[in-house]
């Protein structure tokens, strides 16, 4: 017990000085999103819009962007069993982002996420799993979009 006390004390000192900083702190954000328009899959568009809409109230910066989102989900059967029933699927989410700045200059970038997964006999669970994959992909792509906007605003 006595030997554990110095170890815990040293561990607390190390962890208290880890230098945590939020990724999207307001100090680093130097752009403002005026409008976000969604085309394609509504669920993906709303998920991304909800995540990046927190950058719409920054009126103190001079870099203003309009964003168009074109989202597409592709689900394909990659293999079948002996009876012809699907055994594995491949799902891909693709989001094309068009950023238009205040001087009408356009920048385009395509963000892709995807994975393969096995079929499930319970179709409800399979549908729930697919929806969770799409939601996770949407969150990952929205983080990538924010990083992309920070990158182009620093140019």
């Amino acid at each position: 017990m006595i030997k554990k006390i110095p170890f815990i004390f040293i561990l607390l000192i190390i962890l208290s000085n880890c230098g945590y900083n939020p990724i999207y702190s307001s100090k680093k954000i130097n752009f403002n999103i005026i409008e976000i328009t969604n085309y394609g899959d509504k669920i993906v568009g709303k998920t991304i819009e909800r995540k990046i809409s927190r950058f719409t109230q920054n009126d103190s910066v001079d870099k203003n962007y309009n964003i168009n989102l074109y989202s597409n989900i592709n689900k394909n059967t990659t293999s079948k069993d002996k009876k012809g029933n699907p055994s594995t699927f491949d799902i891909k989410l693709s989001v094309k982002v068009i950023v238009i700045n205040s001087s009408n200059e356009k920048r385009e970038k395509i963000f892709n996420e995807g994975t393969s997964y096995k079929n499930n006999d319970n179709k409800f669970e399979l549908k729930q799993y697919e929806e969770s994959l799409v939601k996770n992909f949407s969150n990952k792509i929205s983080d990538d979009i924010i990083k992309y906007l920070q990158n182009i605003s620093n140019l």
Side-chain angles (χ1 to χ4, degrees), residues 9-148:
F9 181 70
I10 292 171
L11 184 66
L12 285 174
I13 290 174
I14 291 172
L15 291 179
S16 66
N17 294 324
C18 66
Y20 169 77
N21 285 328
I23 295 174
Y24 306 122
S25 67
S26 60
K27 297 175 194 173
K28 295 180 183 178
I29 304 302
N30 56 354
F31 63 88
N32 182 33
I33 298 174
I34 297 172
E35 183 180 6
I36 303 169
T37 309
N38 297 320
Y39 301 99
D41 190 77
K42 301 253 186 245
I43 295 171
V44 172
K46 288 294 181 186
T47 303
I48 294 173
E49 182 179 354
R50 191 174 331 115
K51 191 126 183 196
I52 65 175
S53 66
R54 62 182 151 179
F55 302 107
T56 58
Q57 304 299 326
N58 194 1
D59 295 330
S60 63
V61 297
D62 58 346
K63 296 185 181 183
N64 297 311
Y65 299 127
N66 291 325
I67 297 177
N68 296 329
L69 301 171
Y70 298 89
S71 57
N72 185 21
I73 300 173
N74 290 324
K75 178 183 168 186
N76 297 317
T77 304
T78 55
S79 67
K80 295 183 179 184
D81 60 9
K82 293 179 182 178
K83 296 179 183 177
N85 298 325
S87 60
T88 59
F89 296 103
D90 186 39
I91 189 166
K92 292 182 181 176
L93 173 60
S94 175
V95 178
K96 179 179 180 181
V97 178
I98 299 176
V99 180
I100 305 169
N101 64 12
S102 55
S103 60
N104 284 334
E105 295 175 357
K106 289 185 181 181
R107 290 182 181 256
E108 294 183 16
K109 182 151 173 95
I110 297 174
F111 298 93
N112 295 308
E113 290 291 328
T115 191
S116 296
Y117 57 97
K118 292 185 179 182
N119 194 3
N120 191 345
D121 292 335
N122 187 335
K123 298 305 173 193
F124 178 74
E125 287 179 6
L126 181 65
K127 184 71 173 168
Q128 292 294 96
Y129 181 68
E130 289 172 353
E131 289 174 0
S132 70
L133 284 175
V134 169
K135 185 177 179 183
N136 290 339
F137 291 159
S138 300
N139 286 328
K140 170 76 169 82
I141 288 175
S142 60
D143 289 340
D144 292 342
I145 291 171
I146 293 168
K147 291 174 190 173
Y148 174 69

